[in-house]
């Protein structure tokens, strides 16, 4: 017997881990910094780490009270009803729930390209089909209602990533509202704000709730995660904020206890530690400004905790940086073979990444492997890697 036809399904390509890379290169993990997966360089909130340790002795129980408490805390943070918060196993889990709640077999979802791979993977698991709209390099990856409407064709779900991974661009709320207005009544617009904390913008929750002068509506949901600004990627915790009209569906789509006891306890401690989030956001702002000012290649403006850099040949540059101890994300798998994405690190990590990248760019150019500036080779003797 075989699994069903999975030929449309592709494996998720995660940023590479230090252990994995060190083992492969036969080197010591301590020689590397990893700026490939948009993780929090400060780690989790210390309060969350304590909560995880304290929760260890109670993991024999199913998470019930902790789930209810965290739901209430998150609802309070957004000033919405508890039933509008759909806690899940990571933001990815919330993506699944929204698809479970919307897709009939053969329904389509419309996703940005380049973009986050899991939207399409999840839609396919739920027997949906995937269509794409393009975010264009020619317009510096600008996102307007038109960006999505150009390809929109009555899809059941339209995904907007703001700030967008991997480019860092955002879609202004007025444009999100216009997009929701101009799509069918039966189209759910999901605004993925996995990087929302890093952007100096209002959340699209304002559109759901009818705040800031917008009319309340039932066709937008917002996705958030504890993986990025809260530094809890390893515990897997995220959620959707949905319109009141969608509240009842949660009990019908929720995998029982998918947000674990450990995740809920850590999340409860983390939402109370505003200082940790503020420090994280401040570090990301400084880091991305520093990278824009000092990298010897084009760096797009970003509102996330990462920047996209035009390096000419992403796979050569990423591989050589890795050899020199800095792991970044080659964006070829996003359909951007000229770009790498660098996560904002601590000051020290960011400086090391910039120095390494600038050296690699200079050396590869000298070597004639790339022509980032179209400059002729200056020093044919230069020592470069075997890549
Ligand atoms: C990281 C990320 C998520 C969610 O990640 P989880 O770790 O599953 O919470 C969702 N969308 C985008 C665009 C992301 O980059």
């Amino acid at each position: 017997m075989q699994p069903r036809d999975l030929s449309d399904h592709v494996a998720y390509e995660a940023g590479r881990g230090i252990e994995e890379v060190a083992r492969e290169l036969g080197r010591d993990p301590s020689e590397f910094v990893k700026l490939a997966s948009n993780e929090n360089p400060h780690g989790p909130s210390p309060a969350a780490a304590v909560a995880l340790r304290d929760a260890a002795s109670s993991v024999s129980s199913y998470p019930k009270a902790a789930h209810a408490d965290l739901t209430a805390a998150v609802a309070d943070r957004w000033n919405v009803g508890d039933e509008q918060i759909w806690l899940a196993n990571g933001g990815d889990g919330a993506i699944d729930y929204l698809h479970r709640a919307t897709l009939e077999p053969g329904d389509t979802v419309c996703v940005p390209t380049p973009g986050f791979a899991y939207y399409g993977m999840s839609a396919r698991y739920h027997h949906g089909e995937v269509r794409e709209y393009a975010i264009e390099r020619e317009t510096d990856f600008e996102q307007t209602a038109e960006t999505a409407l150009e390809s929109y064709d009555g899809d059941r779900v339209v995904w907007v990533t703001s700030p967008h991974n991997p480019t860092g661009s955002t879609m202004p709320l007025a444009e999100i509202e216009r997009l929701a207005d101009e799509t069918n009544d039966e189209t759910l617009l999901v605004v993925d704000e996995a990087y929302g904390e890093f952007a100096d913008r209002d959340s699209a929750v304002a559109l759901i709730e009818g705040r800031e002068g917008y009319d309340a509506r039932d066709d937008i949901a917002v996705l958030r995660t504890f993986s990025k600004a809260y530094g809890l990627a390893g515990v897997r915790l995220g959620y959707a904020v949905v319109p009141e009209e969608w509240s009842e569906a949660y009990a019908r789509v929720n995998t029982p206890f998918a947000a674990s006891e450990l995740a809920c306890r850590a999340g409860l401690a983390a939402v109370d530690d505003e200082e940790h989030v503020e420090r994280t956001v401040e570090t990301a702002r400084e880091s991305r400004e520093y990278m824009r000012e000092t990298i010897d290649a084009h760096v797009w403006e970003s509102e996330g905790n990462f920047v996209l850099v035009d390096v000419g040949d992403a796979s050569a540059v990423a591989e050589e940086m890795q050899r020199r101890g800095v792991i970044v994300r080659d964006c070829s798998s996003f359909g951007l073979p000229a770009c790498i994405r660098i996560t904002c690190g601590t000051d020290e990590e960011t400086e090391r990444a910039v120095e390494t990248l600038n050296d690699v760019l200079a050396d590869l150019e000298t070597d004639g492997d790339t022509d980032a500036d179209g400059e002729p080779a200056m020093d044919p003797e230069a020592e470069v890697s075997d890549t």
Side-chain angles (χ1 to χ4, degrees):
M1 198 179 72
Q2 291 280 313
R4 71 174 165 108
D5 179 8
L6 296 172
S7 52
D8 272 356
H9 297 246
V10 286
Y12 182 79
E13 270 190 59
R16 308 192 64 208
I18 287 180
E19 301 291 332
E20 184 190 353
V21 170
R23 206 177 309 122
E24 189 184 296
L25 299 176
R27 303 248 297 268
D28 192 298
S30 66
E31 293 171 34
F32 294 87
V33 298
K34 181 192 177 196
L35 298 171
S37 296
N38 300 342
E39 291 150 338
N40 191 322
H42 298 306
S45 144
V50 170
L52 281 165
R53 254 174 253 131
D54 290 348
S57 56
S58 61
V59 293
S60 47
S61 305
Y62 284 111
K64 207 149 181 265
H67 188 283
D69 291 349
L70 178 59
T71 300
V74 172
D76 193 51
R77 182 239 178 278
W78 291 109
N79 197 16
V80 299
D82 289 8
E83 62 295 338
Q84 288 176 262
I85 302 298
W86 291 12
L87 291 184
N89 187 271
D92 292 347
I95 292 170
D96 284 335
Y97 291 172
L98 290 166
H99 284 150
R100 282 186 203 176
T102 49
L103 298 182
E104 302 276 4
D107 278 353
T108 61
V109 305
C110 196
V111 306
T113 182
F116 190 59
Y118 195 67
Y119 307 143
M121 294 170 65
S122 168
R124 290 188 182 103
Y125 298 150
H126 296 92
H127 304 277
E129 283 168 26
V130 182
R131 303 181 54 262
E132 293 180 334
Y133 66 88
I135 297 186
E136 309 273 5
R137 189 192 153 115
E138 290 67 42
T139 55
D140 286 330
F141 308 108
E142 184 189 20
Q143 298 193 72
T144 64
E146 214 49 52
T147 311
L149 286 170
E150 247 170 57
S151 304
Y152 172 75
D153 187 22
D155 308 286
R156 185 68 169 94
V157 183
V158 174
W159 286 89
V160 169
T161 320
S162 181
H164 178 260
N165 177 9
T167 69
S169 75
T170 53
M171 188 184 291
L173 281 198
E175 291 297 309
I176 295 173
E177 182 187 50
R178 199 157 70 75
L179 178 55
D181 281 342
E182 297 192 15
T183 49
N184 297 349
D185 289 348
E186 289 304 305
T187 295
L188 178 69
L189 180 57
V190 189
V191 186
D192 179 347
E193 297 179 353
Y195 302 98
E197 289 83 359
F198 301 103
D200 203 6
R201 295 184 177 266
D202 286 333
S203 166
V205 170
L207 298 177
I208 303 175
E209 294 301 295
R211 298 178 187 146
E212 318 282 337
Y214 294 103
D215 292 329
R217 55 195 313 145
D218 62 6
D219 58 354
I220 291 182
V222 169
L223 191 88
R224 288 264 172 167
T225 177
F226 282 84
S227 294
K228 312 282 161 57
Y230 289 92
L232 292 174
V235 308
R236 314 302 304 132
L237 183 66
Y239 59 92
V241 185
V242 303
E244 223 175 281
E245 291 81 352
W246 290 68
S247 329
E248 283 190 5
Y250 183 51
R252 296 167 194 265
V253 299
N254 179 27
T255 301
F257 311 115
S260 75
E261 176 75 13
L262 291 170
C264 292
R265 292 287 167 208
L268 268 168
V271 285
D272 272 345
D273 190 352
E274 283 171 26
E275 202 184 308
H276 179 257
V277 176
E278 279 165 20
R279 173 166 174 248
T280 300
V281 169
E282 188 54 34
T283 300
R285 294 213 169 120
E286 285 171 12
S287 172
R288 69 197 185 202
E289 281 322 303
Y290 180 81
M291 288 195 273
R292 269 172 65 78
E293 282 164 15
T294 54
I295 288 175
D296 298 331
H298 182 68
V299 180
W300 280 275
E301 215 165 308
S302 167
E303 298 208 38
N305 65 340
F306 55 86
V307 293
L308 187 74
V309 188
D310 183 1
V311 295
D313 181 346
S315 90
V317 169
E319 195 172 334
E320 181 54 24
M321 286 183 77
Q322 181 172 297
R323 212 182 58 83
R324 300 184 191 193
V326 180
I327 307 169
V328 297
R329 182 75 190 253
D330 167 3
C331 289
S332 301
S333 72
F334 283 101
L336 296 170
C339 300
I340 60 171
R341 189 191 67 195
I342 309 177
T343 300
C344 298
T346 59
D347 295 353
E348 214 173 50
E349 289 168 338
T350 300
E351 283 166 22
R352 179 164 166 204
V354 169
E355 200 183 315
T356 306
L357 173 56
N358 285 345
D359 287 350
V360 167
L361 286 172
D363 290 350
L364 287 182
E365 189 179 309
T366 305
D367 200 39
D369 281 355
T370 62
D371 60 344
D373 291 325
E375 298 278 339
M378 304 288 283
D379 177 11
E381 308 286 310
E383 240 307 288
V384 195
S385 78
D386 50 1
T387 55

